[in-house]
Each structure stands twice: as C-alpha cells, then as structure tokens.
Amino acid sequence: MDGGGNCGNISGIMNNRQRSMLTNKSRVECARNQRKDSEGFSESPDLEFEYADIDKWAAELSEIYSYTEGPEFILNRKCFEEDFKTHVTDKGWTELDSGHHRAHAMRLLDGLEMTAREKRLKIARAILYIAQGTFAECSSEAEVQHWMRYNTFLLLEVGTFSALVELLNMEIDNSAACSSAVRKPAISLADSTDLRILLNIMYLMVETIQQEDPTDSPECRAARETFKSELGAPMYNNEPMSVMLFGMVTKFCSGHAPHFPMKKVLLLLWKSILFTLGGFEQLLNIKVQKRGDLGLPPLPEDSIRVVRSMRAASPPASTSDLLEQQQKRARREHKALIKQDNLDAFNEKDPYKADDGREDEDDNDDSENNLEPENFPLERDEVMPQPVPQPPCERLSFPKGLPWAPKVREKDIENFLESSRSKFIGYTLGNDIETVVGLPRPIHESIKTLKQHKYISVAEIQIAKEEEYQKTPLSGGEEEVDMSATELLYQGILPSLPQYMIALLKILLAAAPTSKAKTDSINILADVLPEEMPTTVLQSMKLGVDVNRHKEIIVKAISAILLLLLKHFKLNHVYQFEYMAQHLVFANCIPLILKFFNQNIMSYITAKNSISVLDFPYCVVHELPELTAESLEAGENNQFCWRNLFSCINLLRILNKLTKWKHSRTMMLVVFKSAPILKRALKVKQAMMQLYVLKLLKVQTKYLGRQWRKSNMKTMSAIYQKVRHRLNDDWAYGNDLDARPWDFQAEECALRANIERFNSRRYDKNQANPDYLPVDNCLQSVLGQRVDLPEDFQMNYDLWLEREVFSKPISWEELLQ
C-alpha cells in the first residue's frame, strides 16, 4: 500500500509526518483485515461469557424439551383442563385461592395411583401442565416463572415428588416396555412417553426449587432445605436419588433399555448433584471451611474472581497467516533502501506492539525458522528517532504483576535444599527443610522466599492422615466421618462406580460431534426422533437442528456431572477423587476428550443449533411466527453458544484434574499428540478456556522438545502471563527430574493400592484384617470348635498319630509350667 496514493487529495494540507502516520495506520488496518479474512476471528473481541454453574433460567428450562415435543404442550393443557372443569368451577387456576389449589393438587396426586395406564398418563400430563406454570393463563415469561415457582412448591408440599419417584421405579423395572423397545428396529418419542412425562415434572421441580429467590417466604426456604437434604439422603430404595439415575444410565448403555430418554435422565442427574452437593461458590466455601478446620492458612486468592478479571490473549497465527506473512516479508526484502516515510511508519507502529502481542512478534508460530532477522537491515536505535508519545489508550494498559500468587510444595523445598547441600557441601539430610548450615547467603534468601509461598493443600493432610491410620490401625483410633451429602453419594455409587464412569463416557462419545455414526454405537436419540420421519425440507432442517442441539445438551450435562463429582470428592477425601479419576483414565477419558477437541472448535463454540421461538416458555406465551428454511439456515444471531463454551471449559477442567501431578498421565497427553489440538483451542478468545488450555500445555512443554518451544514462543509467553508460577519449576527448559522414562503401570498400580486400602478400611467392614481381630484364649471354647479336616488327612490319620504323637516324647511337666 503506497502512502502517496492514500493521501494524494490532501497532500497540500498534511506534512510528511502526518502522511506517514496515515500510511502506517492504513498498513495496520490492511494487515488486520487480511487476518480477519483468513481466520474470521483472530481480531474479534473477547467473548462476553461468564462461567457459572448454570445458564439463564429460561435456557435451562427449555433444554429439557426437544423441539419434536412441541405439540405435547397443548396436549398437557388439554388433559389438565378436561379434569379441572369436571371438578372445579369455571374459574381459572390463577383465580383460585391456595386452599383450592392444594385440594386439586392432592386429588390429582391420588389419581396417579390408578391402575389403568391411559388414565394415569392423563393425570401425569395434568400435573406436568401445573409444573409448567399453567401457561395458558399467563401473558409473559415472567408470569410463567412466577406461577411455576408457586405451583412447584405446592406440588412439593403435597408429596408429589415421592410419588413420582415410585412411578419412575416402576417404569425402570417395566420389563414389558424394555423387551418391546429392544425388539423394535427404530425407537421414537412414543416409546418413552411415560418416562418423559415423569422426568419432565421431576426436572422442573428440582430446577425451580434449587434456584434461590429473595422473595421466597420462610416456609418456602424451609421446604427447600428439607427437599435438598431428602434428595441427597438414602431415602429412595435406601439410596440417594442420584444413584437411581446412575442405574438408569448403566441400564441404558447395557442395551437392556434403549427407550430411556437419556438426555432427560442426565439433566435430572446433573441438577440433583448440583442441588444436593452445591455449585462452584459452595465448593469454594467448603474449601475455606476445611482449611480453617485443619489449621491451614487461608487461600491466597479467590480463583473464580481472578479468572473473571482476566483478558483473553490473541490466538496463535494460522497456517494461511504464516504463508501470507512470508510472502509479505519476501516482497519487503526486495527494497534495498529505506525511505524516511517507512522509518516513520515503523516508528509509529511500534507502540501498537503491546496492543496485540501476536500481531507481528513471532508470527512463525508453527514454522521452524522462527528466528528471522528484522524486516529492516539497520538497527532501530541507530537509525530511527524516538517515537512520538501516543495518547493513553485503554488497550495499552496492562495490570501490574502476575494474576496468581505463586505456590511452592514442601517437596519442592526439600529438592531445592538437597541439591544445594549436594552442590555446596557434599552431603544430604533427607527430608530436613530447616538445616541451612554451611550454605551461602543467597541460598538462605531463596529458602526464605520459598517458605513464604509454601502451600499445603487439604489433600496432602488427608493423605498423611490415611498413612497414619494404615500404620497404626489399633492406636490410631476411630476415624470420624462426616456424613455429608458428598459422603452419602460416594457410598451409594462406590459398588458400581467403574460401570457408571464407562456408561457416561460411552454416551459422551456418542454425542461428540467428531464421532462417526456406527451401527453398533448406542442410540441416544430416543427422546428426539418423531414417530413419522420428516417429509419436507423444512421439517428435515428442523429435525437436524433438534438432533444437534440434543447432542450438545448431553455433552453439557455429562461434562458438568463429571466435573462436579471430581471437585466434591477431592474436597471430601482425596482418595475418593483418585478412585473416580483412575476409572475415568482406565475408560480412556483422556483420548476421548482430546478427540472431542480435535475439530474446528470455533465452529462448535459458535454453532447455531437453537430455534429461540420454539424454546419454552417463549413458545407457549407468544404467537409463533412462520418458520422458513431461510430463517433456520441463518440461525440465531449470537456471538457464541453458551452451552458449548460451558462444555468445552468443563472438559478442559476435567482433563486438568486427571493429569495434575500425575507424570504418567501427562505423558499420555504427549503420546496422544495433544499439543496441536490444544493449541487450536486457543483460537477461542475467552480467558477461562485459554487458561485451562495453557495449563495443559505447560505440564507437557518440557517433553515436547526444544524445537517445539522455539517455534511456539507466543504460546510460551501466554503461559508465563496467565498460568500460576511454581517458583523453582523449570517447566520451560526440559531438565526437570521428572523428564525420565515413564512407567505408566507402576505409578497407577501404586495409586490403586492406596485407594483400595482406603476403601477397604473405611467401607468394607466384612474384610477386616484378620491380624487385628479379637483372639479367643479360652481353652474349652477353642477345643470345642468343630474343625473340618481334609479328606486326605482323614485317610492317613493313623500315620499322622504315629509320626507326630506316639513316636515323640512329651514332657508333661514343661507343658503344665
């Protein structure tokens, strides 16, 4: 782009300096536009996404229904009105007082005990309509929300949820429905009608009650807490509600119940766990409380707040960018002389380097010849004058210091002291972190700094206590186990936890967009496919959107379930977390998550698989516009899809939890070639997602080789800026002690042995160690016990008597003494 051409019309007014400034600005704009064209999102703004436990109320409600269930809203209303008009006056539901509401709800509840399936189904639909907020009498979504909340607490008060759980148990054990579904070549909505209605009501109740509202009365708050404790307690078949739902998941995956509406089961399971155990804020509160109880110092910072205040980094350059830049550099090198205009242009451009650290610096992110010379043959300081100060700009202001307080483990201090002693004095002291005799003053200062930032986790205390219990089973005393909701859930799922993890990962694999449709894979579309397949283009497009949305919601629910369980188990006891994590690893969770991210992740984040006019409660309050193929193809005009970004962050957090401090699992990331997959995920300009990607890249950097580090300096810089620092961690250099040949089996077997000892000590009371059982010292009772002797011994009894008794002299005096 030529400066004179741009400024030809106003050359008489502008001086050379101004003209060169405009030239430079045009160049920068041109470069940015080219990058936009090649990637489409490199210079896009940060995604305005706030990570939370759940999405907005309306979004969470709408996801329980598929679009093919749309006609059932009217059917539910019809069932309610037929019954309502025969037993109540002509008034509407919203016109009655609470006494009439309660009486009618109890009468409907009695109707659920009918033996005739059709009549029972109509009553269940009427109850579902009440739970949906009697929407026909509402004129806005806010009014629907008000009546949903009122009606849900009313249904809870009269005991509807317990009745629904009993009906759900009946449907789970309905062998006729299961065998009928197994024989069918194609399963549709009709096969899961009873289950869908029950799960819809239960989901609406859990989802509505779990959300606190400041306008709730004291009675509602008390009812909420009671419902929460009941849901997490072993009150349903002597097990928590979540264990029953886990059983449905495994039964579905085993092929015995292909008609189960799995999306609804998983959503209800997720919300039950979230309600009973608590979300991310509650997890932080529990962590703070546990640290206080154990006498540990408070957390150095609120991690949620730190991440929310972070800015996203610009993504690394794509291949098309690199080729284009090489061509531009080749063209520039043809210029033998440097004009003053160009020097000024470069000078003006310099302050923009901080604007986007990835604009010109190190664009050869994936290429090998990363260390190219400057575009200009002369040194800048020698030729160019100082740049003119630019006015302050918001994009040039950076926060001072690093976002995270550094952490140091006690093991790190031990290693540092041992290496220092060995180097300066020539002796070692083992686990001593106090003795510094003979070490130079700088080493003293280093140790002081390390100890200032020493961080002891709750998990380290739990592991130390468990070792003590194993060493001293008699003198260690009885362990006091807090029977919290997390502990009750772990006890409930412990016997079948491996099967539950495999089942969840099977469904996640089937729902992943990278999976190929196989004949032997499980069918997760039982609650989305209509009885009659579409006949028009519009119907086909609508069903296509519905199926994609259905899969996205399943991924969202499973990722949230796994993350919540891992985090809660880790706080409750680290070996509960390790047990679940190890079974996830054994079930190939790490390659599965990498397979999920091995797609165009930007397309997944910005997917438009929603039709907002068909979402509940919008579709039951407003007049529906006519849908066309063009409007469906255009999709929603959103910057990103909340649920997909939420799922991606959850999966990255799960991957971090599985691999953190596990050398063998970190090596799995290297073996499965995760670095390029994760690096592509950095294209999503969202700070939290980038942070967890950078964490995963950081742990494997030292194993990727010097050439990779040299050609990925932008990624390395981002890790320095955004990931927590371990003061003596030389992750970037590859000379760590852990950079040794790895034995996956030995490391996992040692961990498994610790887990099994913990589980058997705390939960398997029948398998107590025989060495520590009470001993019977009474001679009469011991001799009176019947002992079954083996058959070969009985046959040779005479020989034994002769050899062991008669032929050996016995000194009775010594025996009596």
Side-chain angles (χ1 to χ4, degrees), residues 213-434:
D213 193 320
T215 61
D216 283 344
S217 63
E219 292 80 12
C220 286
R221 288 176 188 170
R224 181 181 184 275
E225 290 305 314
T226 305
F227 181 51
K228 179 180 176 179
S229 59
E230 287 177 357
L231 206 59
M235 292 188 65
Y236 310 102
N237 292 345
N238 294 322
E239 58 190 17
M241 174 73 186
S242 301
V243 179
M244 185 201 304
L245 296 170
F246 267 121
M248 289 184 75
V249 174
T250 49
K251 191 171 182 180
F252 171 80
C253 285
S254 66
H256 298 309
H259 66 298
F260 280 3
M262 206 30 56
K263 182 188 80 172
K264 296 182 190 294
V265 174
L266 291 167
L267 283 173
L268 180 57
L269 175 58
W270 168 32
K271 293 304 169 68
S272 301
I273 292 171
L274 180 62
F275 185 28
T276 53
L277 307 190
F280 302 130
E281 291 288 346
Q282 288 89 337
L283 274 163
L284 184 64
N285 294 336
I286 295 168
K287 192 172 187 179
V288 169
Q289 184 184 344
K290 283 223 174 221
R291 290 186 68 82
D293 294 343
L294 294 171
L296 296 173
L299 291 166
E301 71 274 299
D302 182 350
S303 54
I304 295 174
R305 196 172 299 163
V306 172
V307 174
R308 281 178 182 165
S309 63
M310 276 185 170
R311 293 286 304 276
S314 297
S318 65
T319 309
S320 57
D321 280 342
L322 300 177
L323 292 172
E324 186 180 346
Q325 192 182 22
Q326 286 172 0
Q327 291 168 1
K328 282 197 286 183
R329 283 181 172 172
R331 286 198 299 271
R332 284 178 185 173
E333 284 169 4
H334 285 307
K335 299 180 181 179
L337 299 172
I338 305 170
K339 298 179 183 178
Q340 181 64 37
D341 280 8
N342 283 347
L343 289 174
D344 290 341
F346 188 93
N347 224 6
E348 292 302 324
K349 185 178 181 181
D350 194 55
Y352 287 94
K353 271 198 162 184
D355 169 30
D356 182 354
R358 303 175 186 273
E359 182 76 30
D360 284 286
E361 178 201 355
D362 197 24
D363 271 329
N364 264 15
D365 221 354
D366 294 297
S367 61
E368 294 186 5
N369 56 341
N370 200 41
L371 303 176
E372 281 195 18
E374 276 280 308
N375 295 335
F376 301 93
L378 300 175
E379 290 294 323
R380 290 176 55 191
D381 292 336
E382 295 174 2
V383 176
M384 292 180 283
Q386 289 299 313
V388 174
Q390 296 293 316
C393 176
E394 185 188 349
R395 296 184 70 184
L396 291 173
S397 60
F398 291 98
K400 292 183 179 179
L402 297 165
W404 305 99
K407 284 182 181 177
V408 180
R409 293 183 300 170
E410 191 159 318
K411 181 185 172 186
D412 299 330
I413 303 175
E414 288 173 12
N415 291 339
F416 177 74
L417 262 171
E418 285 296 270
S419 63
S420 299
R421 288 176 189 138
S422 177
K423 179 178 178 182
F424 291 104
I425 304 170
Y427 71 87
T428 57
L429 290 178
N431 297 334
D432 186 337
I433 63 168
E434 300 300 328

Side-chain angles (χ1 to χ4, degrees), residues 1 22-32 335 342 345:
M1 191 181 291
L22 183 60
T23 305
N24 177 62
K25 189 173 180 181
S26 302
R27 280 187 179 139
V28 172
E29 288 301 320
C30 179
R32 286 184 179 170
K335 299 180 181 179
N342 283 347

